[in-house]
Amino acid sequence: MSEVRNTCGFNTAEEAPKFTEELADKLAKERGLRVRPSETVSETDERGVFVRQANTFITAFGDKEGEFKAEANRYKIFWAHGCHWSNRPVIVRDILGLEDVIDDLATTMGGSKYGHSFNDQKDFRDPTTGAYFLSEFYENAKPGFSGRATTPTLVDVKEKKAVNNDYHRLTNYIEVQFRKFQKTDIDLYPKAYRKEIDEFNDWLFPTINNGHYRMAFGTSWVAYQEAYEDFFNAIEKIEERLKTNRFLFGDYITDSDVRLYVTLVRWETGYFHNVGPLKKRIAEYENIWGYVKELFSIPEFRKYTFFEFPSNPDKTKRSPFGAYLGRIASQIPFDELWKTDGSRKALSEDPENVYLHTDVTPEEYQSEISFSKWNLPSWDDRQPRNVSISVDPSINPLKGLLKNK
């Protein structure tokens, strides 16, 4: 009879080792790692406002000296199921047909005080590099690194080093610098309109993408109230914009839609429960809800949409005041509730297509990716209310300009 082995590579007839804190301590000591800092301690200012750390690895991809070069099978995206920042690059990668060019692996979150680990993998290691923790790649790239190792992180698997964790611009590097490897002519980041897309994305970050964290991690009423107002005011701007636009910039999905979608999904299914009273659920915004459901129907978006909740099969031991996520969420028929009716097609002049296509060469597609001010080192520069945008976000400045070839 053949030996049966579990996912960690151990004989199931024996008791497999558990990824305990004691084991994590041993492995972290072996690799010279530090305990992961707490966001609510190290990233909160004197007003109680959560000021997210700047990304550490922001060197651009390009042809200039010192920049990283796009190569096939050189890099791997480390992401996490419950991290909407890290759902972005894998969605973009799949849309552009780069799965065989850039590898990926989902980390396990919350399994250790050392941060993201690989404790659901064989022997608790990333199978490509042998790392036990995401932070190993940070230490290899920057010895003495003392910040948080975050997802997404793009790792050079040959050097076993983190090369980019800049979620502000990582999808743009994939879209532009890896264009020559694409299996499709889909265009998520049209060259003529990158300024408008970048500006919108840099408004989206503090107001919506980071809005939940500002509410959840803020430690004062003032900080919470500011985040609450910014988030719901921005949501109302988006609701107005989507009244006459199928997607954020018109008839076709752009990089911005990926960024908005992943946050709305996490908010509607999980984040809302730990931030206090809601003005409205996402499902109560007619245009946004139709938009989210349409994107959910697209395979590349659906693949990275996770409805993962604890179940409670033993109804006799359930507290009457038990959390909603434990009592009810695992029973929700998401596929039925999130099914699109197709009505938003009527907003498009090209209703059967959701993607823009381009026949420009990879060389013509190149441009220098802009720097995001949200990576500036000063806390003052990264204060979440330091946001500006030249066009009211409720208005699509590219209305009617995106045209398929």
Side-chain angles (χ1 to χ4, degrees):
M1 183 175 179
S2 61
E3 186 177 72
V4 179
R5 301 179 74 82
N6 69 10
T7 57
C8 289
F10 301 103
N11 189 333
T12 53
E14 306 168 357
E15 184 177 354
K18 305 294 184 183
F19 192 79
T20 62
E21 275 302 327
E22 291 75 18
L23 177 58
D25 287 339
K26 178 183 176 181
L27 297 176
K29 183 177 180 181
E30 175 187 315
R31 299 295 169 93
L33 305 179
R34 299 160 183 77
V35 173
R36 187 178 195 261
S38 168
E39 295 96 321
T40 56
V41 174
S42 61
E43 297 170 49
T44 305
D45 72 8
E46 67 279 358
R47 295 176 60 243
V49 174
F50 174 58
V51 183
R52 184 176 290 277
Q53 70 175 20
N55 293 310
T56 303
F57 299 100
I58 60 175
T59 299
F61 275 76
D63 296 322
K64 295 180 180 178
E65 184 177 354
E67 293 183 335
F68 293 109
K69 313 305 177 190
E71 295 181 28
N73 309 122
R74 181 71 184 260
Y75 304 103
K76 186 171 184 175
I77 302 169
F78 289 91
W79 59 283
H81 286 72
C83 171
H84 70 87
W85 312 107
S86 69
N87 298 156
R88 300 172 177 181
V90 282
I91 291 174
V92 165
R93 181 203 59 174
D94 286 13
I95 290 173
L96 300 179
L98 294 168
E99 300 96 314
D100 296 334
V101 176
I102 307 174
D103 197 6
D104 78 283
L105 181 68
T107 68
T108 50
M109 297 177 67
S112 164
K113 61 189 176 186
Y114 300 99
H116 296 269
S117 62
F118 308 108
N119 60 47
D120 62 344
Q121 298 296 309
K122 180 180 177 180
D123 301 328
F124 315 122
R125 297 170 179 256
D126 164 41
T128 306
T129 64
Y132 293 112
F133 300 96
L134 181 66
S135 56
E136 291 180 43
F137 305 122
Y138 285 58
E139 182 67 22
N140 292 343
K142 188 177 182 180
F145 175 77
S146 60
R148 290 186 295 114
T150 58
T151 52
T153 296
L154 192 67
V155 168
D156 180 331
V157 296
K158 292 184 180 179
E159 298 289 335
K160 299 183 182 180
K161 294 180 178 180
V163 296
N164 195 284
N165 73 330
D166 182 10
Y167 49 82
H168 297 297
R169 296 296 184 257
L170 180 54
T171 55
N172 304 139
Y173 291 129
I174 293 172
E175 290 153 353
V176 176
Q177 298 299 330
F178 287 82
R179 184 80 188 177
K180 61 185 177 183
F181 299 111
Q182 281 188 207
K183 292 181 179 178
T184 172
D185 62 356
I186 290 173
D187 185 359
L188 295 174
Y189 194 45
K191 186 174 181 179
Y193 305 113
R194 288 174 190 169
K195 178 181 180 294
E196 290 82 359
I197 293 173
D198 289 347
E199 184 181 46
F200 180 84
N201 288 347
D202 282 347
W203 169 83
L204 198 64
F205 164 71
T207 55
I208 294 180
N209 296 146
N210 202 35
H212 157 261
Y213 300 98
R214 291 171 57 200
M215 283 182 259
F217 296 164
T219 58
S220 69
W221 166 246
V222 170
Y224 176 86
Q225 192 65 15
E226 286 180 357
Y228 184 96
E229 291 174 358
D230 289 350
F231 180 86
F232 283 105
N233 287 344
I235 286 290
E236 287 165 6
K237 296 282 189 182
I238 297 295
E239 173 71 359
E240 179 66 22
R241 183 174 182 138
L242 291 175
K243 183 186 296 184
T244 56
N245 293 276
R246 186 180 186 182
F247 303 109
L248 288 171
F249 283 101
D251 294 348
Y252 307 107
I253 293 168
T254 64
D255 180 86
S256 300
D257 294 292
V258 177
R259 297 175 189 233
L260 178 60
Y261 173 82
V262 293
T263 299
L264 295 179
V265 167
R266 298 307 302 171
W267 177 272
E268 179 64 15
T269 60
Y271 288 167
F272 71 89
H273 76 278
N274 63 355
V275 298
L278 297 181
K279 189 171 185 178
K280 281 186 180 181
R281 286 179 52 202
I282 296 302
E284 294 179 76
Y285 293 95
E286 179 182 0
N287 301 316
I288 291 177
W289 186 228
Y291 164 86
V292 168
K293 291 193 292 184
E294 179 165 33
L295 290 174
F296 177 66
S297 73
I298 298 169
E300 293 84 3
F301 286 83
R302 189 186 186 103
K303 180 180 178 181
Y304 297 102
T305 303
F306 304 100
F307 303 123
E308 299 174 339
F309 305 101
S311 60
N312 189 347
D314 189 349
K315 304 297 189 293
T316 64
K317 295 183 179 180
R318 188 176 66 206
S319 164
F321 297 104
Y324 166 81
L325 292 181
R327 291 183 296 110
I328 304 298
S330 64
Q331 305 175 54
I332 297 174
F334 285 104
D335 285 349
E336 178 182 334
L337 294 177
W338 287 53
K339 186 176 181 180
T340 183
D341 62 6
S343 61
R344 291 191 61 79
K345 288 183 177 183
L347 296 174
S348 174
E349 294 182 2
D350 188 10
E352 299 310 314
N353 288 305
V354 297
Y355 293 122
L356 186 69
H357 298 267
T358 183
D359 57 3
V360 303
T361 67
E363 292 72 26
E364 294 173 318
Y365 197 74
Q366 300 304 300
S367 73
E368 186 170 344
I369 304 303
S370 69
F371 179 82
S372 173
K373 73 175 185 178
W374 301 114
N375 279 327
L376 289 168
S378 168
W379 275 40
D380 291 338
D381 291 327
R382 299 201 315 278
Q383 282 292 329
R385 287 209 141 180
N386 272 356
V387 61
S388 61
I389 188 168
S390 62
V391 179
D392 188 310
S394 66
I395 299 169
N396 171 15
L398 304 184
K399 183 73 172 179
L401 297 180
L402 299 185
K403 300 287 186 180
N404 247 326
K405 64 179 184 182

